[in-house]
Amino acid sequence: MSTVTEQLSTRHLLGIKDLTANDIQLILDTAQNFKDVLNRPIKKVPSLRDITIANVFFENSTRTRLSFELAEKRLSADIINFAASSSSVSKGETLIDTVNNILAMKVDMVVMRHPYAGAGVFLSKHVDAQIVNAGDGAHEHPTQALLDSFSIRDRLGDVAGKKVAIIGDITHSRVALSNILCLQKQGAEVMVCGPTTLIPKYITSLGVKVEHDLRRALNWCDVANMLRIQLERQDIAYFPSLREYTMLYGLNKEILDSLDKEIVIMHPGPINRGVEITSDVADSKHSIILDQVENGVAVRMAVLYLLAGQRGG
């Protein structure tokens, strides 16, 4: 463990913007300890045996929900799973009423995904439970950014000083914003790359480089984080066709082999194989996509464990 304080500065995990560099370091160091636990024959610890956690998902999710659920089980927490599609929300119940009804069952912590930006912040002001943001609209996805940083650290030894290019649909991506904030707080340089229509105007105010040429971005970076084209969030056509997007911004083995250096390839998933990335790249030795999935459990264990230490605070 490095010499960071042993307690988070925040009671909730609502976004990377609320975390200090110290907080991030503590989460990643704690996650390393939990990763060691996950590689043991007995993968369970009794750390959260007295804690009840509700997973409240108002949006579909597979990887994030399963990752949180596994993290909670590895920590011996009691779990309530809640899917909005099969709940009273579909009958018009409000967010606060829904969560208060869950909390009446003596729940300590709520892991929430919601289609609206700021839903977690809103909830944290109105209910007496700790909130973990598992994604709010196109705003933030803090645990994804933390596991991405952990995966970079795991592969390259450190995040500080590394050049990371985030490529694709920046406008609709909560992963992009959380990653930019998380990487910068650890001393990395960040570039975004994509068509002009998929890069928001405000992005330069965050101190990131902007590039529209894929090869230039790849030649600049140490790590390329390939984002999924989020067609379900796009209310208008942001580019002529998927085929044209793939021709300009799709990463294939030929492009990867033409670079004059080796780079690390990441993807938050789910992958649109053949669109933003080809299978031979996703499954290559350059890729740490499956490491990201594995590391996600350890990082989420660390977040839940550290927040539980803040209860009553």
Side-chain angles (χ1 to χ4, degrees), residues 27-308:
I27 290 168
L28 300 188
D29 286 349
T30 306
Q32 185 60 59
N33 291 342
F34 281 128
K35 186 169 181 178
D36 297 340
V37 168
L38 293 174
N39 287 318
R40 294 180 196 162
I42 297 172
K43 300 173 173 59
K44 205 162 182 175
V45 288
S47 308
L48 299 192
R49 198 168 45 199
D50 302 325
I51 304 281
T52 303
I53 302 174
N55 297 313
V56 181
F57 280 69
F58 292 89
E59 236 183 11
N60 291 337
S61 167
T62 303
R63 288 169 337 286
T64 301
R65 186 176 56 77
L66 290 177
S67 183
F68 266 112
E69 198 174 323
L70 190 54
E72 291 151 10
K73 285 179 174 172
R74 295 285 188 244
L75 291 165
S76 305
D78 291 321
I79 306 168
I80 299 171
N81 285 318
F82 172 94
S85 57
S86 57
S87 73
S88 295
V89 172
S90 57
K91 302 173 188 172
E93 185 173 73
T94 68
L95 173 60
I96 293 176
D97 284 341
T98 299
V99 176
N100 272 328
N101 279 312
I102 294 168
L103 296 183
M105 302 171 201
K106 305 299 181 206
V107 168
D108 304 294
M109 212 177 280
V110 175
V111 174
M112 185 174 76
R113 170 165 290 190
H114 201 280
Y116 295 126
V121 175
F122 171 76
L123 197 61
S124 69
K125 292 174 178 168
H126 291 88
V127 302
D128 185 26
Q130 290 173 287
I131 311 297
V132 179
N133 179 7
D136 59 334
H139 181 228
E140 278 226 48
H141 192 352
T143 57
Q144 180 70 46
L146 290 163
L147 75 88
D148 288 347
S149 284
F150 184 88
S151 301
I152 293 170
R153 191 172 94 158
D154 211 33
R155 173 61 71 98
L156 298 179
D158 201 356
V159 176
K162 298 296 180 287
K163 294 178 175 178
V164 182
I166 303 173
I167 298 161
D169 186 355
I170 310 298
T171 295
H172 301 93
S173 174
R174 52 189 167 215
V175 172
L177 179 58
S178 286
N179 257 294
I180 289 166
L181 298 174
C182 196
L183 291 164
Q184 287 178 335
K185 287 185 180 188
Q186 295 170 86
E189 284 185 75
V190 185
M191 173 186 283
V192 295
C193 175
T196 308
T197 50
L198 289 179
I199 295 180
K201 300 255 190 302
Y202 72 82
I203 206 81
T204 49
S205 69
L206 297 177
V208 302
K209 294 175 165 57
V210 177
E211 178 59 71
H212 300 295
D213 183 284
L214 177 64
R215 285 178 188 267
R216 277 206 295 263
L218 295 173
N219 275 313
W220 173 84
C221 71
D222 302 305
V223 179
N225 197 346
M226 309 299 297
L227 300 183
R228 180 173 66 90
I229 291 297
Q230 305 207 16
L231 294 174
E232 75 278 9
R233 291 182 195 276
Q234 296 184 9
D235 45 358
I236 59 172
Y238 285 82
F239 45 83
S241 68
L242 276 181
R243 183 170 171 273
E244 183 159 332
Y245 177 87
T246 300
M247 284 170 62
L248 291 172
Y249 295 101
L251 179 56
N252 57 43
K253 195 78 166 58
E254 184 189 346
I255 294 171
L256 202 55
D257 290 344
S258 73
L259 303 178
D260 55 6
K261 59 176 179 176
E262 286 208 354
I263 62 171
V264 176
I265 306 300
M266 306 177 73
H267 195 301
I271 304 171
N272 291 320
R273 286 176 182 259
V275 179
E276 66 269 5
I277 189 169
T278 55
S279 287
D280 52 5
V281 172
D283 303 330
S284 70
K285 65 181 170 59
H286 303 278
S287 164
I288 57 170
I289 295 169
L290 288 179
D291 297 328
Q292 289 173 267
V293 177
E294 180 189 343
N295 293 335
V297 178
V299 166
R300 289 174 175 120
M301 286 174 76
V303 165
L304 296 168
Y305 170 77
L306 290 166
L307 286 177

